[in-house]
Amino acid sequence: MSGDALIVIGAGIVGAACAERASAEGFAVTLVESGTVGGGATAAAMGHLVAMDDDPAELALSHYSLDLWNALADLPQAQFSRCGTLWVAAEERELAGIPAKLDRLVAAGIQAEAVDATALYQLEPMLAPGLAGGMLVPHEAVVYGPAVAMHLADCAQSRGARLLRGRARRLTRGGVELEDGQILRGTVLVATGCALPELLPDLPMRARKGHLAITQRHPGLLHHQTLELGYADSAHGSDASSVAFNVQPRPTGQILIGSSREFDDTMDPAVSMPMLRRMLERSFRYMPALRGLDALRVWTGFRPTSIDGRPYIGRVPGMDDVWVAAGHEGLGITTALGTAQLLADQWMQRPSAIDSTPFDPARLAATAAA
Ligand SMILES: Cc1cc2nc3c(=O)[nH]c(=O)nc-3n(C[C@H](O)[C@H](O)[C@H](O)COP(=O)(O)OP(=O)(O)OC[C@H]3O[C@@H](n4cnc5c(N)ncnc54)[C@H](O)[C@@H]3O)c2cc1C
């Protein structure tokens, strides 16, 4: 397919990463974006680069992507900071789950270690007293996702890709029609995040709202991306709404406080005061010093959530020359680079470093037939 026309619809971090990879492979890329590059879910995210271990396929994709992120570690605008991830166990029951987590991470080749309560407070002295211990994943990092999306789109453009401001209205035979009536011809990759069903209604997608708050500068208060072990339950559970303690030291000394989750297909961006209060109270429970800081800004965003929580990456079943990369929920900053590489491998018909079948959108057809 190298040399062919590829139309990438959506320039969030996923579409921008795919445009970058495709242009590197020699495709004639047109990147279509209706808003701002990196302005969707990508702009709302925390930017924590993290390996989640509760689904083997997601673990493989996040680990693979973390390796690819190393190539961008020195990019100034990425604000890459290798602060590590500190998972906190509030009580003995959570502590008891750590050996199994460690086994999964270490088996995947990720360095991680258990920390007892003494070590926990050495790592993060401002944590509330009485916590049981935790687990440190020292090489994980945080980045500023929207700036990386812009960088990836710029890389693609420097190789001849075209960035077209406009909205894709519908897929046509052999291309796409934009809202202004323009028809673009070529292979199509739909990377429109939560808006996926507008173009591909057979691929279910839900919007999962999240709140975040950022504080005034307070260098030295927090050193690691620090989150409760229950975060994975919040992220992968199907509860209508949940909150989890999840805080991040920004390179500026500010502290980014998350996180909440609730399904909201209306995509109303308004801040919900009860949800914000619930989220902040959770963080004060784990780190009481946060209560004394001023929040400078509070915002919401929407995580594109597929039917089974895994992203759709691959050819759209039953359609010629239409591909999809969407539905990365709360891991899309982490996994954008791996996603783009998996697609590039499929387009170039070469084997990938990890198994891409768990992300094949055709799994839905199999589910429907069962
Ligand atoms: C509160 C919150 C915290 C998060 N924290 C993290 C984190 O710490 N770590 C992590 O890895 N991930 C995190 N995420 C998840 C991450 O932000 C998303 O998974 C990721 O940004 C999805 O990227 P995307 O490119 O698929 O979607 P988007 O960034 O939404 O991009 C889709 C783009 O498509 C465009 N578009 C839509 N329809 C059309 C159309 N018809 N024509 C043209 N353009 C169109 C939109 O304008 C948009 O720019 C978080 C998300 C939220 C909301």
Side-chain angles (χ1 to χ4, degrees), residues 174-257:
V176 59
E177 181 187 326
L178 306 189
E179 259 181 7
D180 64 4
Q182 221 181 133
I183 305 272
L184 306 177
R185 298 205 177 280
T187 298
V188 175
L189 171 69
V190 187
T192 53
C194 289
L196 186 74
E198 289 174 23
L199 296 173
L200 293 172
D202 291 340
L203 293 182
M205 185 70 68
R206 298 199 67 188
R208 213 168 184 196
K209 187 172 181 175
H211 288 70
L212 292 175
I214 192 154
T215 72
Q216 64 194 100
R217 288 171 189 236
H218 214 294
L221 186 73
L222 181 71
H223 309 280
H224 306 83
Q225 176 95 25
T226 304
L227 64 171
E228 62 173 290
L229 274 158
Y231 173 84
D233 299 335
S234 166
H236 295 115
S238 53
D239 291 357
S241 74
S242 62
V243 294
F245 166 67
N246 185 1
V247 290
Q248 176 181 107
R250 294 299 308 155
T252 53
Q254 293 172 288
I255 296 174
L256 186 50
I257 305 177

Side-chain angles (χ1 to χ4, degrees), residues 86-92 95 98 115-118 120-121 130-135 229:
L86 182 62
W87 293 89
V88 177
E91 53 193 49
E92 291 302 322
L95 206 56
I98 287 182
V115 293
D116 61 16
T118 308
L120 182 72
Y121 291 105
L131 298 167
M135 181 179 85
L229 274 158

Side-chain angles (χ1 to χ4, degrees), residues 8-16 32-50 164 166-170 178-179 191-196 198-199 208-212 225 231 246 248 259-261 299-304 325-336:
V8 179
I9 308 172
I13 195 161
V14 173
V32 182
E33 170 56 51
S34 58
T36 315
V37 174
T42 300
M46 264 193 143
H48 181 203
L49 304 182
V50 57
L164 211 159
R167 190 166 187 88
R169 175 159 54 196
R170 67 183 182 96
L178 306 189
E179 259 181 7
T192 53
C194 289
L196 186 74
E198 289 174 23
L199 296 173
R208 213 168 184 196
K209 187 172 181 175
H211 288 70
L212 292 175
Q225 176 95 25
Y231 173 84
N246 185 1
Q248 176 181 107
S259 59
S260 70
R261 277 180 160 80
W299 67 95
T300 65
F302 294 87
R303 304 172 183 90
H328 296 69
E329 217 270 353
L331 260 190
I333 305 295
T334 306
T335 54

Side-chain angles (χ1 to χ4, degrees), residues 132-148:
M135 181 179 85
L136 178 66
V137 189
H139 297 305
E140 291 183 340
V142 301
V143 293
Y144 186 52
V148 176

